[in-house]
Amino acid sequence: ATPPSTWSVASGNPLPAGLALSTAGALSGTPTTANTYTFSVQAKDSAGGTATKSYSMSVAASTTTTAASLSAIAVAALPQYIVDTTFPNTTGYVVKTVCTSGCNYSTVQAAVNAIHTDGGDAAGEVIELASGATFTEHVNFPAYSMGAGKWVIVTTNTSPSNLPPPGVRINPNYSPVLAKIVTNTTPYGAVNIASQGNHYWFMGLELAVAPSVTLFTNAVFQIGAQETSVAALPSSIVIDRCYIHGTPTGNIRRGIKGDGVAVAVMNSWISDFHDTGSDTQAFWSYNSPGPFLLQNNEFEAAGENVMFGAADPVIPNLVPSDITIVGNHFFKPLSWWSSSPTYAGILWQVKNLLEFKNAQRVLVQGNVLENNWVQAQMGWAILITPRNAGGTCPWCTAADITVAYNVIRHSGSGFQIAGGDSGGSGGGLGPSQPSQRLNIHDNLLDDINGPAWSGAMGAFAEIVNGITPTGHDIIQNNNTGLHTGNVIYASAAGYTTSNFAFINNVSPNNSYGVKGDSAGAGTPTLTAYFPRAVFTNNALENLAQSGMSASSYPTGNFFPAAWINVPLADSTNCPAGNLATSQIGLCALASASPYLRSGTDGRTLGADINAIYSVTANVAP
């Protein structure tokens, strides 16, 4: 070479963004994106001779996280209102016994149409339907001007000892004693609450679709009929200890459509809702401002066991709000799964267990959610995916959602969280508001197994954007995940989630840990998809399996070589999964664990297993 030489970057292999190469060969600047880069540099001497060489450079993200950065993340607001389910004082109510023989639905309808009034207002009434009788057709419940504190209570004429006591969930074994309203005609439900119908309490009833019906496209219990204002909606509707069901083989879409103000469903059993080609739900609402209380129920449906949103609300700017979902069992029978030995031979359209497409101020606590696999979708247990389904709801959002102290088990994957609605394959037209202010803490994910559940991802969580505005203010804190795939999978390169924290969790790292499309595992993905994320005080088991090292992640995390190094109360049987509710204590940290006080707040790493058990011990039958 004949000096001096002139340096340049070879064509087609640029430097990492933020760096520059001078003609004298000096490399300067600060790289802006963590990743591993390959680039080529050419030197040309004064005689015109050239030489080119390739270099590889790894750029690590800043590992500085402070209390200030964590405190900058907005925390989800809890429900502001809750449905009052104090049973009314029935002193002075008229008690009306309907039908002791020759029963038909018209006798019920006549009784409902002739409510006792006082001064023009309904004065309180108990309508007792004959125990064991079947009223075939449908009953419409009109709007009355209700006296202060007065209700219409519809129940079975039987001794209270023949029903579960208050606060105890009913089950199908009570069917012989229950009065039954059975619809055999689409579009009418067995029970239909008219616009402005209010203060109806349904207790100890069986509501169903007739066995002869092969396709039923509405809800067995219908609250609301696409009202265009909140004032026109039904209100104060309580469903208590009712058995609501479809048929084992029919395409029966929906158990309850809950578009009313102050709707409570409690202590009930809602099952056998499925269709081979359409979405189905045990409970669904899209055109109500809330509040809602779903407490101590059995929810069984093929599509989404419970869903809010998915159709654009008719009422402008409406978001279902103040939603409390506590102590419920979300369940899909394995007889619906083609890979199960108990498969019954009908391939229902299976999607997920719980989904929010338009909802805000939500508390999901103390539930057991189980059995979900790849079929019509990819086997996620809980989806938080804003959806402007018809193109008329740009305000649709999934905001201020807290998911805490739940058991999520036997599912292909855990959480899928989307930013805004980008339309396309997601089924929406967009745009929407994004997922925002989500607080996911103290959950046990057991048997989240991709290969075992029809080839799902097996991830703890997927976070996907793809349009602006993107998701933001998401905290995943003190969870214990037993899963086969990614800790976090991020997709849609170029879109980022701001104000993200993943702290104090216990999880296997598995093959890729935290991984995004077109980004290296660990810190490169955090930098590319979650800029300035707080990712600290997590225990990621068996990092060696992936070929990663501690330097692949920000400092402040822990990397036990195996579960026995965590250790758990039972480091063999807990990670193996398939635990009964009574066994989840096996997943608590052992008394000798070095991580008992390693959380950012001095707490134990992972979920508070004892607290989870205390609120879920009696949830699953």
Side-chain angles (χ1 to χ4, degrees), residues 219-299:
V220 172
F221 197 117
Q222 297 199 70
I223 304 171
Q226 295 190 308
E227 286 80 4
T228 58
S229 70
V230 171
L233 289 170
S235 63
S236 299
I237 309 298
V238 176
I239 303 170
D240 178 17
R241 287 168 284 171
C242 288
Y243 174 33
I244 302 173
H245 62 91
T247 67
T249 59
N251 290 292
I252 314 298
R253 297 276 172 86
R254 198 160 292 117
I256 301 169
K257 183 175 80 72
D259 287 337
V261 178
V263 172
V265 183
M266 56 188 190
N267 314 313
S268 294
W269 189 288
I270 303 107
S271 61
D272 261 327
F273 294 99
H274 36 54
D275 194 301
T276 57
S278 295
D279 261 15
T280 52
Q281 300 88 29
F283 180 93
W284 176 52
S285 180
Y286 75 99
N287 194 43
S288 165
F292 300 90
L293 174 65
L294 308 182
Q295 182 173 13
N296 189 34
N297 302 290
E298 177 78 8
F299 290 122

Side-chain angles (χ1 to χ4, degrees), residues 184-202:
N184 59 9
T185 307
T186 292
Y188 300 105
V191 168
N192 307 273
I193 309 296
S195 295
Q196 295 186 317
N198 65 98
H199 290 87
Y200 283 107
W201 192 301
F202 297 85

